[in-house]
Amino acid sequence: MLHFGWFLSYTVQSWGRTWSGRGGEEWTQPEQYIEAARALERAGFDYMMFEDGSFIPDVYGSSQDWALRNAAAAPKLDPLPLLATIARETDNIGLIGTVTTSWYPPFFAARLLTTLDHLTKGRVGMNLVTAHNIRSAENYGLQDDWDHDKRYARADEWMQVVSQLWDAWEPGAIVNDPVTRTYVDPSKVHPINFEGKYYRSRGPLNCQPGPQRRPVICQAGGSPTGREFGARHADTIIAQARGVERMKEYRDDISRRLIANGRKPQDVKVLFICDVHVFATMAEADAFRAVRENDAALNLELNLASLSFASGIDGSTLDLDAPFPELTTNNAQSVLQHYLIGSEGKTVREVMSKPISQSISFTGTPESIADEMADIAAQTGADGFLIGGGIERRQVAEVSDGLGAELRRRGLARDSYDWPTFRENLFAF
Ligand SMILES: Cc1cc2nc3c(=O)[nH]c(=O)nc-3n(C[C@H](O)[C@H](O)[C@H](O)COP(=O)(O)O)c2cc1C
């Protein structure tokens, strides 16, 4: 069986397209997310993963104009309060929000996630990122110490503090016995007195652990330092690696790193990010693929804007007809590398005029995509797939009720959730 997640932001979901409906107006309200969550529960999805960032992109064209005009990663709201709202209207799906280790003080994050774990009855997770954009550092006034590997070193210590805070209350600390007038057994609640290189916290947390004690930890950074961080702390890794060979290398590398850290390969569920386009017939799928492949102007613009977003290098300044230059970044290293694959000996225009998929792009019928997913998981060791994109209603229905139903019929997707918490369901197989 495979695991499935849906990747999205708390941003404009669909706007100005044939099936957008009232997308431009309704995205701030919870209803559309709740509808999507229910549809994905029908399909047995493990989780919805909300990415996040605290900035308006302004690298492409050296201006925020493109992002604002196109509603591209802006405007964007903080997804964490939304998780509690979705949880009230759903029963089983895991709900992951993004938490940036570089901004959130560990005590604040540990308490917030414990609160959400209670509110969601054990269905919350956090996607840990170090943040990749200098603008968000500037928004928090923390731009002075902006080194890629140092961000991860700090994140590692951050995770130690948060873990200790979550364990500061022993099991059984809540007695709730009016007869002996004991609500909490004080002998089971301990300070942590953490003194590290970057953080200090006295502890304990001033609330008891939620149903999961430790919310599910998700991680995405794919540089060597990022992978090492994931192998130490994550329960699920959302990975970007283009094509079967790189996906296999990624999963094998994570398995090696897990073992080196005293964990087992099956302790982390690796889901590869993909885009999925479901059609009733292969003829429709082929027609869609051809249009997408050949829309050079649109592909060029979207790819250059995405490269700018991930790397901090303004793609609009690249000479389109010159060979692809050497690029390096202090931002998201693995994401920049993703765009450079296959660029040797080619011009910028040649590389960027074609669609650049996340890890893999699935375009076909429910049957053909189910075949491909099973085959790719077998070849790469992937635990499953993270479907990327907004939650335009038609797209969600195609996946949940078209592809999802086919996957369930084949026993590739779960038919029911057997456990109350996200963590237990994630590790049920
Ligand atoms: C699937 C995926 C999801 C990501 N989600 C976020 C996110 O929500 N917020 C963020 O700041 N970075 C996000 N990133 C970027 C990474 O988490 C990380 O911050 C960045 O890639 C730098 O790490 P690296 O150099 O190890 O790749 C994501 C990356 C991938 C591949």
Side-chain angles (χ1 to χ4, degrees):
M1 234 176 348
L2 299 174
H3 294 270
F4 293 94
W6 193 289
F7 176 82
L8 73 164
S9 314
Y10 191 3
T11 187
V12 185
Q13 299 300 320
S14 174
W15 165 81
R17 298 177 2 155
T18 311
W19 305 103
S20 296
R22 294 174 179 262
E25 299 143 47
E26 66 182 349
W27 72 271
T28 60
Q29 296 305 304
E31 285 75 16
Q32 196 179 356
Y33 306 90
I34 292 165
E35 283 174 39
R38 285 181 175 153
L40 298 175
E41 268 186 347
R42 256 193 328 271
F45 269 55
D46 290 78
Y47 55 81
M48 284 174 104
M49 199 304 267
F50 286 83
E51 71 85 48
D52 196 25
S54 304
F55 64 100
I56 296 175
D58 65 353
V59 176
Y60 184 56
S62 300
S63 151
Q64 60 183 14
D65 292 6
W66 192 86
L68 290 176
R69 277 188 204 287
N70 292 284
K76 192 182 273 186
L77 289 167
D78 187 328
L80 290 179
L82 180 61
L83 305 185
T85 315
I86 300 173
R88 296 288 302 169
E89 305 290 334
T90 53
D91 299 312
N92 300 113
I93 195 164
L95 298 163
I96 300 180
T98 292
V99 168
T100 308
T101 55
S102 305
W103 325 137
Y104 284 53
F107 189 94
F108 176 86
R111 187 164 185 250
L112 178 58
L113 267 292
T114 293
T115 306
L116 283 168
D117 202 33
H118 284 290
L119 284 172
T120 62
K121 296 194 169 72
R123 287 197 281 135
V124 78
M126 64 174 173
N127 173 41
L128 283 184
V129 298
T130 55
H132 57 78
N133 195 288
I134 187 72
R135 289 287 180 258
S136 46
E138 288 167 350
N139 286 338
Y140 287 96
L142 296 168
Q143 65 272 29
D144 294 339
D145 206 8
W146 187 244
D147 172 70
H148 178 271
D149 285 4
K150 206 186 257 180
R151 295 203 292 276
Y152 274 116
R154 214 185 287 133
D156 207 56
E157 195 179 290
W158 188 97
M159 200 56 232
Q160 289 174 43
V161 187
V162 169
S163 300
Q164 289 186 23
L165 286 168
W166 281 334
D167 286 334
W169 290 55
E170 289 179 35
I174 301 288
V175 179
N176 190 13
D177 183 358
V179 178
T180 57
R181 293 216 54 77
T182 307
Y183 186 70
V184 180
D185 176 351
S187 72
K188 294 193 166 159
V189 182
H190 312 285
I192 64 165
N193 291 317
F194 189 95
E195 300 263 347
K197 188 167 171 197
Y198 306 103
Y199 297 107
R200 289 168 146 199
S201 182
R202 182 186 182 279
L205 215 55
N206 56 341
C207 51
Q208 73 267 34
Q212 298 180 107
R213 178 170 284 265
R214 185 181 166 89
V216 168
I217 308 292
C218 173
Q219 190 271 344
S223 64
T225 348
R227 291 183 188 194
E228 189 59 26
F229 179 72
R232 272 203 293 277
H233 305 292
D235 300 304
T236 182
I237 289 179
I238 48 176
Q240 188 179 40
R242 239 160 96 193
V244 167
E245 228 168 85
R246 287 186 194 86
M247 289 164 72
K248 180 169 168 36
E249 182 279 327
Y250 202 126
R251 170 73 247 200
D252 289 348
D253 185 50
I254 293 293
S255 297
R256 269 194 303 276
R257 289 177 192 271
L258 283 162
I259 291 165
N261 281 288
R263 304 178 71 196
K264 296 192 283 300
Q266 60 271 31
D267 288 348
V268 171
K269 304 297 178 193
V270 180
L271 272 58
F272 285 94
I273 186 156
C274 58
D275 52 88
V276 174
H277 308 278
V278 191
F279 296 90
T281 64
M282 282 314 279
E284 287 171 76
D286 291 342
F288 169 85
R289 202 185 284 113
V291 170
R292 202 161 171 251
E293 282 279 319
N294 294 323
D295 197 341
L298 181 66
N299 291 329
L300 192 62
E301 183 174 327
L302 293 179
N303 288 333
L304 289 174
S306 301
L307 176 123
S308 307
F309 179 85
S311 68
I313 299 158
D314 182 0
S316 76
T317 63
L318 299 177
D319 180 348
L320 296 182
D321 297 309
F324 223 109
E326 290 267 319
L327 300 175
T328 55
T329 184
N330 186 33
N331 290 21
Q333 294 182 351
S334 61
V335 186
L336 173 63
Q337 286 315 313
H338 184 80
Y339 285 97
L340 303 185
I341 290 167
S343 63
E344 303 83 20
K346 292 194 182 147
T347 66
V348 174
R349 190 188 301 280
E350 283 167 332
V351 178
M352 302 303 248
S353 296
K354 293 283 171 195
I356 295 183
S357 69
Q358 305 263 12
S359 291
I360 205 126
S361 184
F362 297 102
T363 302
T365 60
E367 295 76 15
S368 77
I369 297 176
D371 280 346
E372 266 189 278
M373 283 183 160
D375 182 40
I376 288 174
Q379 286 187 58
T380 60
D383 296 287
F385 297 97
L386 179 73
I387 297 176
I391 46 166
E392 190 176 281
R393 288 185 176 84
R394 180 175 164 148
Q395 158 85 351
V396 173
E398 284 165 352
V399 171
S400 60
D401 298 323
L403 175 62
E406 180 62 27
L407 290 165
R408 256 199 344 272
R409 262 194 294 278
R410 297 176 183 213
L412 286 172
R414 74 170 85 231
D415 199 27
S416 62
Y417 299 85
D418 295 334
W419 301 91
T421 68
F422 175 19
R423 173 174 290 283
E424 289 166 300
N425 282 315
L426 184 67
F427 287 101
F429 55 90

